[in-house]
Amino acid sequence: FGVNLRKFNKDSDHEIKGIRKFNLKWFKDDACYVRELFCYDLFRRAGIWTAAFDVYCRLWIHVEGDSKAAYYGVYEMIEPYDDKYVAKREKFFGSVDGNLWKCSYPAFLDDANAQMEEDNDKDDFTYELKETGGTFADAKAQLQDFILKLKGKSDDSFYKWIKEVCDVELLMRTYAVNVAVGMWDDMWNNGNNYYLYFNSTDLYDYKVFLLPYDYDNTLGTSNAYDAAKQDPYNWGDKGLLMERMMKFEEFRNIYRDELKRLVNPAYGLMNPAAATQRILDWQAKIKDFI
């Protein structure tokens, strides 16, 4: 469920501690009730500030006229990627007036003629503009130009350009966490489940950020293959951005070093002892309600 507390009454009385929107998600294919919670938490522990916040909640829905509310059980309450999300991280993004795109299959960043539309709360598109500080036409032209350069630049030109328009270290470290948790339904492998934020509406002058999204298909859940047994250097073969990034030793080293840091017990991130204890602590909070 997506909840917008200010859909019909746009005032501060229809907020909860400044929050006006949130998503409520059931634990699909997850009898452990922890996969997505673990992933978003790991991103943040690893210093990936782009990851959304989430928390457990219990959900009742009461329809006016019914005698009592229907209890749906334990859900995950997730921060949505919208203008409020960007505003809370303005010091990192550098601007709140850019273009925010939701990217869904087949969003491999390899086709400048792919479907690009404005959000209308009804339909899903390959690239869906959620927020903009300008016009849809300008935002579309910017994304198309980005894809064309991603496809068309020579290796030397791409190397220089991507360092200008992207925080390369953040991107490669984000992808190390993504692969470590076995997120196969992603941009690199399946052209799916990520957001892009361009921190400017200018056609050429911007920084672009990849935002991690939708982590229920992780940590052993897959309808494709055993994600734990895949080569992390060849996670996918279609997501053009990561395919090009991995050609450069400098970028691969950032990715490799972050993978090694994630499993180093000294950092308490994804090594078995630390990870298991966090899972048990979370499950203890909800065990009486499952």
Side-chain angles (χ1 to χ4, degrees):
F1 302 95
V3 178
N4 182 352
L5 301 174
R6 299 201 340 162
K7 180 72 172 179
F8 304 106
N9 297 279
K10 301 184 185 305
D11 55 54
S12 59
D13 289 338
H14 291 81
E15 294 180 351
I16 301 174
K17 295 186 176 181
I19 296 171
R20 62 176 182 172
K21 292 181 183 178
F22 49 87
N23 295 322
L24 297 168
K25 187 173 181 179
W26 69 301
F27 288 88
K28 177 181 178 294
D29 298 330
D30 186 7
C32 298
Y33 280 71
V34 79
R35 285 184 171 92
E36 190 158 51
L37 204 79
F38 179 95
C39 293
Y40 280 133
D41 178 79
L42 182 64
F43 275 113
R44 296 192 298 270
R45 286 175 185 268
I48 309 303
W49 52 266
T50 49
F53 283 93
D54 61 340
V55 68
Y56 288 123
C57 69
R58 299 172 71 195
L59 175 63
W60 289 261
I61 295 181
H62 185 206
V63 178
E64 187 174 5
D66 287 355
S67 59
K68 62 179 182 178
Y71 180 50
Y72 277 68
V74 173
Y75 265 57
E76 178 189 11
M77 182 184 292
I78 313 173
E79 176 187 23
Y81 292 129
D82 60 10
D83 57 336
K84 288 284 189 180
Y85 160 88
V86 174
K88 290 176 184 176
R89 296 159 177 83
E90 180 178 6
K91 68 177 182 179
F92 298 112
F93 284 129
S95 169
V96 298
D97 298 320
N99 297 316
L100 178 67
W101 292 91
K102 181 181 180 183
C103 308
S104 306
Y105 180 83
F108 292 109
L109 292 175
D110 62 350
D111 182 6
N113 295 314
Q115 187 182 39
M116 300 178 186
E117 302 289 347
E118 287 188 272
D119 178 22
N120 62 14
D121 291 329
K122 296 178 181 179
D123 303 306
D124 294 323
F125 308 108
T126 303
Y127 300 100
E128 185 173 339
L129 185 64
K130 292 291 187 177
E131 306 286 350
T132 181
T135 67
F136 170 72
D138 288 344
K140 181 177 179 180
Q142 183 188 62
L143 179 56
Q144 288 177 322
D145 183 74
F146 176 78
I147 293 173
L148 288 171
K149 287 175 177 172
L150 185 57
K151 287 183 64 176
K153 283 185 172 289
S154 66
D155 285 349
D156 288 344
S157 181
F158 171 82
Y159 173 82
K160 180 181 178 181
W161 170 74
I162 200 65
K163 293 184 74 171
E164 292 173 350
V165 302
C166 177
D167 183 335
V168 168
E169 181 174 355
L170 178 62
L171 173 63
M172 300 310 289
R173 292 180 58 235
T174 298
Y175 241 94
V177 178
N178 191 80
V179 170
V181 299
M183 172 51 161
W184 60 272
D185 192 16
D186 65 343
M187 181 270 292
W188 190 2
N189 186 66
N190 203 40
N192 200 19
N193 289 327
Y194 64 99
Y195 280 69
L196 290 176
Y197 179 66
F198 294 80
N199 73 349
S200 165
T201 58
D202 189 275
L203 183 60
Y204 308 120
D205 185 13
Y206 55 76
K207 284 283 188 181
V208 62
F209 300 85
L210 185 144
L211 316 181
Y213 172 69
D214 198 0
Y215 282 80
D216 50 8
N217 278 305
T218 55
L219 300 172
T221 297
S222 171
N223 64 7
Y225 51 69
D226 185 348
K229 295 180 179 179
Q230 305 309 306
D231 178 0
Y233 288 96
N234 294 284
W235 187 247
D237 59 5
K238 294 180 180 178
L240 189 58
L241 176 59
M242 284 304 295
E243 284 291 289
R244 298 213 66 177
M245 298 298 289
M246 292 297 286
K247 290 182 178 180
F248 298 94
E249 184 178 6
E250 175 187 339
F251 302 162
R252 287 198 309 273
N253 287 345
I254 299 171
Y255 176 74
R256 178 206 62 201
D257 290 348
E258 184 65 8
L259 283 172
K260 292 171 70 175
R261 188 176 78 94
L262 288 169
V263 298
N264 186 332
Y267 297 100
L269 293 170
M270 205 177 172
N271 60 295
T276 300
Q277 188 57 56
R278 290 202 302 276
I279 289 170
L280 293 174
D281 290 344
W282 284 319
Q283 290 175 333
K285 297 176 184 294
I286 61 170
K287 64 182 180 63
D288 294 335
F289 309 114
I290 301 299

